[in-house]
Amino acid sequence: MRPSGGRRLLAWALLLGALLAGGLWRLSMSYDLGLFLPAPRTMEQQVLVERLGESPGSRYVLVAVPDDPERVTRLVASLRGLPDVERVLSDLAPPAGQPPDPLWSHRFLLADMDWRAEGLESVFSARLAELGLGTDATYEAVVARDPALLSLDLLQALAPDTETPWVTGDGRRVLVAVTTAPAFRLEAQARAVNGIRQAVAGVFGTDSDAVLSGAGVFGVTLRDTIRHEATWRSTWASAAIVAVLLLVYRRPAVLVLAALPLAAGLICGLAMVSLVYGQVHGITLAFGFTLLGVAIDYPLHFLSRARVQGAAPALRATWPTLRLSALSTGLAYAALMAGGALGMAQLGLFSAAGVVGAAATTRYVLPWLVRGKDGPALAAPSPSPRLRPWAFMLLAGAGGLLAWQTQETPWWESDLAALSPVPAAQLAREGRLRQATGAPNIRYQVALRGENLQSVLADSTTLHDALDTAVAAGLIERFGDLTPLLPPDTVQERRRQAIPGRTTLEERLRSATNNLPFDATAFTGFVHDAVASHRLPALQPDTYAGTTLEGALGQYLYRNAAGQWTALATLGGDPDVQGLEQLLAVQAPDARLVDLRAASESLVTDYRQRTLAVLGGVLVLIALLLTWRVRPGRAAWTLSLVLASVFLAATVLRAWSGPLDLYHVTGLLLVAGIGLDYALFLGKADRQGAGHAVFACMASTVAAFSVLAGSAIPALHSLGSTVALGSALCFAAAWLGARPRSGAK
Amino acid sequence: MSFLSRLLVFILLASPAAAATLPERLAGLAAQPERELHYEETRESALLKRPVTYRGRLAWDPDSGHLTKWVDEPRTARLTITPTHLEAATGTGRIRRMPLERRPELAALLGGIRALLAGDAAALEDTFDTDYREDGEGAWLLRLAPRAADLAARLSLLEIRGKGNHVSLIDTLLGGGEHQRMRMVPQDHDAPPTPLDDAP
């Protein structure tokens, strides 16, 4: 027995409720942008992806304030007190007192020292001279336990360049607050940024023109901007759709009927992603809902026909085409899953499941909510047969001319930075502030990788010597690396063996100070610490856990999910790339100069090629699917119309805004789905109500996406302009290409 | 810091005059052509078994704005303060260089010294509370107490004593309670060259 309308609705509501509950129960939101990066293949790509949230200085919040040393010093002290700030880098006063552990506790294992009596005497001579320069109590306390000042030298090796004051071209002083949380932990970043703003306001007043910059600041600002932009633009886009639908259908009930499949699609998509992946990225939801926008067309096709013929005949007339359209679109969206990026795979699954859910709701639920027919018979107007060739030639000519005129412009944007939702002006300002602080070059790093930590550390020591040579040869200005923080066990052991026993050391100390005014008994702390170093376990990465130097070590050493160790050296200034590569090839052959920009470009290129290859396969599948319902000739014609529209849209966009980015590509995918839908419905022999529906679909899509196109956020702008333009072109192509007498099988 | 305070000698060492007020004394000091003088100071430290007497020279170059302290005995060392940087070098070749702003108290002192060199009592009083006294026989005492709390935490008081335009003694009381004394000695034009003569 067929279920009644009421029962059917109840079952549908229960099913959706269960899906929603199940989806939400398993769901956790993720904001890790790394999910949207394709799987890396080369070592350079791996370093890029693995270090995305932890690249040099990604935890830096750069603070540019008026150049007033006294107030800047107060600000530094104030920032050091913040719980979300790990440390503060500045060219001003370093924190007083002895250097932090484990650098202090392990100083005799971290640096070479001449333990002979002559070596000690030379050390004490140098200290005697320095005392004559006028020193303070902190310095003397360090000398008493570390007369060779090994710990201060180690600290200086880690410190950023402070020889040049950190002042920007426009005379601002720059400080760096290093946050405890990585850049992508937005809640913690928001707390840190807020605390820093308050500290700045406390010292410089609320009306100072202080500037905060950095990955975390961008993340927090973007989240707020996107929330704001997305909220009001979505509101306006929705209002535009409502206005168009009211204008076209003149019945408020249509709004509810059109929204139901969309809501069902959303729940289906969410439930599927939640079931398969357990978590959903914020961007998956945002873009997924956009891609799902095509599903609003499904109820419109049915409703336009139903107002003429009533529900049952309308369903019979529209469902085969609607099913074909939904399956083809779902297939195209599902292709995103094969691209190799987890985030894009989520997006594909979400949209494909959503489209299928929306189509199913249109088929199995809507007919029981629509009563009899209530509108006049509508016939889609066909363009004049004489007009059609001219119009096609005009469109093709315009497209060809545009493509020819812009042939210098590359088709695709390969710069990963172009995907950044951060406006270019803010990125440029970030670059200027970084330059003022001498923060590491963010493009080049030197990487070493291996399964065994000790062999990586040994290679790192070789690399350290090679980079010293590079500095001397002027190939790089400076570098930062692992060796001062973590020498190999063998080196630590050699240094340990060199430390004399207590009696010998005391004897040498007496001998060394015999001809000097130093009091040997003032250095008992030194003797004690040196002797205690005999029993210290060798320094390991874990020794740094929880210390203030943990972040410093993490900048130079990490272990990936596969258990491989990677040591990184950061470079300062603009390196002589060719010279450095030649030097490394000879002196540190295991090390690789990593050009992060080249790595990101190759990553994007690989990803695009793979996606295009998959889409090519999908196109063949869709063509086969079409021949299931329509004749091969018409299937080919329909696909040609869609492809021509997509190509024309891509050409116009390239001419308008330059090379296409991944948001454009996502938008073009939606355009293809929409175009297929238009071409199928307008291409039917029996298209009663189809013109009305397709026009309503096109008008609402163009209105809604035009609102998004006005956004200053690159992602929304690219997507909005692509879909608004593309759907208008698809409509024009489908309308011009409609063949009144060719019918469905 | 203590070194810089001692450089105040430049300003305060001069020919006899009968100035009775601080502005008059400063005006006299500013007119002095002398740019290098010799000092002797005794350091006490918990690290030392006996006080060590250091001898050296202080040099001021008004054109470049460099202040340099040379330690000639018992070991050689040099500390140069430029308008922007501080550079310390010892005979072992170890050189430490840092922006002057890393030591704001030094920057403030330098400002004070410049004010003294220019005879600008008003600018001097921007940095210090001044207390100038004469005993009626030409002997005088200038007490300088830093106004800013940060500076006062590291440098409590400077006491400069002299007679006429001669400075004889500078006492420095540091924030931690440590006391340092620098005594001026007559200039010796036959002083031996120092191995650190490549100073900027």
Side-chain angles (χ1 to χ4, degrees):
Chain A
M1 192 178 78
R2 289 172 66 86
S4 71
R7 278 188 177 168
R8 189 181 285 261
L9 275 179
L10 186 65
W12 176 76
L14 284 176
L15 177 67
L16 284 188
L19 280 175
L20 185 63
L24 290 181
W25 175 63
R26 271 182 60 91
L27 188 69
S28 71
M29 287 300 279
S30 152
Y31 292 95
D32 182 2
L33 279 174
L35 286 183
F36 276 80
L37 287 179
R41 290 179 302 106
T42 65
M43 177 175 162
E44 285 84 351
Q45 293 178 356
Q46 282 167 4
V47 169
L48 174 77
V49 172
E50 287 164 5
R51 300 296 283 176
L52 191 72
E54 282 296 328
S55 53
S58 69
R59 293 181 187 213
Y60 284 13
V61 175
L62 300 154
V63 186
V65 290
D67 187 11
D68 175 344
E70 189 266 323
R71 286 200 287 179
V72 171
T73 307
R74 267 166 48 210
L75 178 60
V76 169
S78 174
L79 293 177
R80 288 208 169 104
L82 293 177
D84 294 299
V85 171
E86 179 186 282
R87 60 206 158 105
V88 180
L89 308 177
S90 104
D91 61 342
L92 300 179
Q98 73 184 29
D101 280 337
L103 197 144
W104 173 257
S105 59
H106 288 68
R107 60 193 180 279
F108 299 116
L109 303 184
L110 283 171
D112 287 320
M113 176 157 172
D114 185 350
W115 293 95
R116 297 171 305 147
E118 307 85 69
L120 291 175
E121 187 173 349
S122 158
V123 159
F124 282 110
S125 277
R127 297 299 85 81
L128 180 61
E130 282 167 8
L131 281 178
L133 293 177
T135 55
D136 57 25
T138 309
Y139 167 84
E140 290 182 20
V142 171
V143 169
R145 293 175 67 186
D146 182 15
L149 299 183
L150 301 178
S151 56
L152 295 187
D153 285 345
L154 287 166
L155 207 56
Q156 193 164 18
L158 291 178
D161 168 47
T162 55
E163 287 206 359
T164 315
W166 292 6
V167 178
T168 59
D170 60 355
R172 287 157 185 268
R173 172 78 53 168
V174 185
L175 299 172
V176 179
V178 185
T179 59
T180 45
F184 56 81
R185 299 245 177 277
L186 286 183
E187 289 305 321
Q189 284 291 332
R191 274 201 315 274
V193 169
N194 199 28
I196 293 167
R197 279 193 210 287
Q198 284 177 358
V200 171
V203 174
F204 286 91
T206 46
D207 55 348
S208 80
D209 52 353
V211 171
L212 265 59
S213 187
V217 180
F218 292 152
V220 172
T221 313
L222 264 178
R223 186 191 59 174
D224 296 345
T225 312
I226 287 177
R227 267 186 193 161
H228 176 253
E229 277 267 303
T231 307
W232 84 261
R233 286 199 185 269
S234 313
T235 309
W236 279 105
S238 308
I241 294 176
V242 166
V244 169
L245 294 188
L246 280 180
L247 208 65
V248 175
Y249 291 93
R250 299 173 196 279
R251 276 185 54 206
V254 167
L255 297 179
V256 180
L257 294 174
L260 282 179
L262 209 56
L266 176 68
I267 291 172
C268 288
L270 203 59
M272 282 302 283
V273 172
S274 174
L275 285 173
V276 175
Y277 296 104
Q279 61 167 10
V280 59
H281 196 283
I283 292 184
T284 303
L285 267 190
F287 283 119
F289 197 61
T290 308
L291 287 184
L292 206 49
V294 71
I296 203 172
D297 294 2
Y298 303 155
L300 297 189
H301 290 307
F302 167 71
L303 293 171
S304 283
R305 185 99 179 198
R307 52 186 272 152
V308 182
Q309 297 180 325
L315 186 64
R316 276 195 300 278
T318 52
W319 174 242
T321 314
L322 201 152
R323 177 178 53 190
L324 195 58
S325 173
L327 281 178
S328 317
T329 307
L331 205 57
Y333 288 174
L336 290 176
M337 295 176 70
L342 187 59
M344 290 304 262
Q346 279 191 5
L347 183 60
L349 180 64
F350 179 93
S351 320
V355 161
V356 171
T361 302
T362 306
R363 163 69 180 82
Y364 297 105
V365 179
L366 280 204
W368 279 265
L369 296 174
V370 175
R371 295 198 192 90
K373 49 191 174 185
D374 62 356
L378 294 166
S382 292
S384 146
R386 273 185 299 177
L387 170 71
R388 201 180 292 145
W390 290 108
F392 268 117
M393 280 169 66
L394 192 69
L395 272 179
L401 189 67
L402 211 52
W404 179 73
Q405 274 204 327
T406 55
Q407 57 184 326
E408 299 291 316
T409 312
W411 271 106
W412 309 110
E413 179 61 75
S414 295
D415 187 357
L416 205 58
L419 287 181
S420 168
V422 182
Q426 284 186 28
L427 286 178
R429 187 176 66 192
E430 165 88 358
R432 286 197 299 276
L433 296 186
R434 272 181 176 270
Q435 198 173 19
T437 63
N441 185 301
I442 48 177
R443 177 168 176 182
Y444 295 103
Q445 294 183 45
V446 182
L448 278 167
R449 171 163 286 192
E451 307 289 338
N452 180 288
L453 174 64
Q454 290 306 321
S455 67
V456 168
L457 295 182
D459 289 345
S460 200
T461 310
T462 313
L463 173 63
H464 182 89
D465 295 340
L467 292 176
D468 266 339
T469 312
V471 171
L475 300 175
I476 51 176
E477 275 178 33
R478 59 189 175 277
F479 67 96
D481 75 336
L482 185 61
T483 302
L485 284 169
L486 195 62
D489 284 356
T490 49
V491 173
Q492 294 188 56
E493 189 52 36
R494 174 175 59 71
R495 288 177 181 148
R496 190 203 310 278
Q497 295 296 333
I499 304 172
R502 177 180 296 277
T503 315
T504 312
L505 182 55
E506 284 173 343
E507 196 177 306
R508 289 181 189 174
L509 186 61
R510 272 195 299 276
S511 166
T513 54
N514 205 24
N515 297 321
L516 295 170
F518 283 106
D519 179 2
T521 61
F523 296 92
T524 49
F526 161 57
V527 175
H528 173 271
D529 291 356
V531 172
S533 298
H534 281 296
R535 299 186 303 273
L536 270 182
L539 203 65
Q540 302 299 328
D542 291 350
T543 322
Y544 283 89
T547 71
T548 52
L549 292 170
E550 184 178 8
L553 183 79
Q555 183 178 346
Y556 300 127
L557 179 73
Y558 73 92
R559 195 175 194 186
N560 66 10
Q564 289 175 311
W565 290 95
T566 304
L568 296 171
T570 58
L571 306 176
D574 282 327
D576 174 346
V577 174
Q578 205 178 355
L580 185 59
E581 274 180 333
Q582 285 170 357
L583 184 135
L584 290 177
V586 177
Q587 297 196 14
D590 292 327
R592 188 90 59 89
L593 181 66
V594 176
D595 179 348
L596 290 178
R597 176 183 287 183
S600 76
E601 284 178 4
S602 71
L603 198 64
V604 173
T605 307
D606 281 2
Y607 178 65
R608 190 180 54 242
Q609 283 170 350
R610 207 177 327 170
T611 305
L612 288 178
V614 171
L615 285 179
V618 168
L619 198 64
V620 174
L621 276 179
I622 290 177
L624 289 175
L625 193 66
L626 287 183
T627 55
W628 168 47
R629 294 298 305 173
V630 295
R631 293 191 190 102
R634 208 193 113 208
W637 176 243
T638 305
L639 276 181
S640 311
L641 288 176
V642 174
L643 289 178
S645 311
V646 169
F647 175 75
L648 192 58
T651 307
V652 172
L653 287 168
R654 183 180 69 149
W656 185 15
S657 57
L660 307 181
D661 59 37
L662 279 184
Y663 302 114
H664 285 119
V665 175
T666 312
L668 288 174
L669 200 60
L670 174 58
V671 168
I674 289 172
L676 195 63
D677 185 69
Y678 295 175
L680 282 174
F681 274 94
L682 285 182
K684 280 158 60 91
D686 169 23
R687 0 186 256 275
Q688 203 169 33
H692 181 264
V694 171
F695 179 77
C697 295
M698 185 275 291
S700 58
T701 306
V702 170
F705 281 88
S706 296
V707 175
L708 295 188
S711 172
I713 297 174
L716 291 183
H717 172 76
S718 294
L719 195 68
S721 52
T722 306
V723 179
L725 174 73
S727 49
L729 287 172
C730 282
F731 177 79
W735 186 68
L736 288 171
R739 294 191 298 172
R741 292 296 163 199
S742 310
K745 280 179 188 174
Chain B
M1 171 174 57
S2 53
F3 153 64
L4 264 180
S5 65
R6 290 160 206 157
L7 284 181
L8 291 170
V9 164
F10 272 119
I11 304 94
L12 304 170
L13 187 75
S15 57
T21 63
L22 179 59
E24 285 167 349
R25 175 70 66 207
L26 292 180
L29 295 171
Q32 293 305 307
E34 195 54 71
R35 293 297 173 230
E36 179 169 290
L37 60 122
H38 290 229
Y39 70 85
E40 191 178 280
E41 69 177 326
T42 302
R43 282 294 310 267
E44 291 178 12
S45 161
L47 300 177
L48 300 170
K49 55 189 164 200
R50 58 176 182 272
V52 174
T53 300
Y54 287 91
R55 291 183 187 83
R57 293 159 291 142
L58 301 169
W60 161 253
D61 180 358
D63 296 331
S64 65
H66 288 192
L67 293 162
T68 304
K69 178 185 190 178
W70 306 89
V71 179
D72 296 329
E73 291 177 45
R75 294 287 187 280
T76 55
R78 166 177 60 78
L79 180 69
T80 301
I81 299 161
T82 74
T84 57
H85 282 79
L86 189 146
E87 187 177 285
T90 60
T92 58
R94 179 196 181 90
I95 293 180
R96 286 175 181 274
R97 191 173 148 86
M98 67 175 85
L100 194 57
E101 289 93 334
R102 280 182 80 161
R103 304 291 295 271
E105 75 283 4
L106 280 183
L109 258 175
L110 189 66
I113 286 171
R114 285 194 179 123
L116 277 166
L117 286 167
D120 186 348
L124 184 68
E125 286 171 346
D126 278 347
T127 309
F128 300 101
D129 283 325
T130 59
D131 177 13
Y132 181 74
R133 296 174 194 177
E134 286 199 16
D135 66 359
E137 295 178 7
W140 52 265
L141 168 66
L142 174 60
R143 292 163 70 97
L144 299 174
R147 285 175 179 272
D150 316 29
L151 185 53
R154 305 184 76 149
L155 169 70
S156 300
L157 188 67
L158 279 175
E159 284 190 347
I160 301 132
R161 290 165 209 276
K163 189 161 186 178
N165 276 347
H166 286 288
V167 168
S168 50
L169 211 60
I170 296 183
D171 284 296
T172 309
L173 190 61
L174 297 179
E178 192 191 349
H179 173 226
Q180 292 172 6
R181 170 166 286 193
M182 181 182 255
R183 188 185 304 279
M184 296 307 130
V185 293
Q187 289 191 30
D188 176 4
H189 293 287
D190 300 322
T194 156
L196 291 167
D197 270 347
D198 58 343

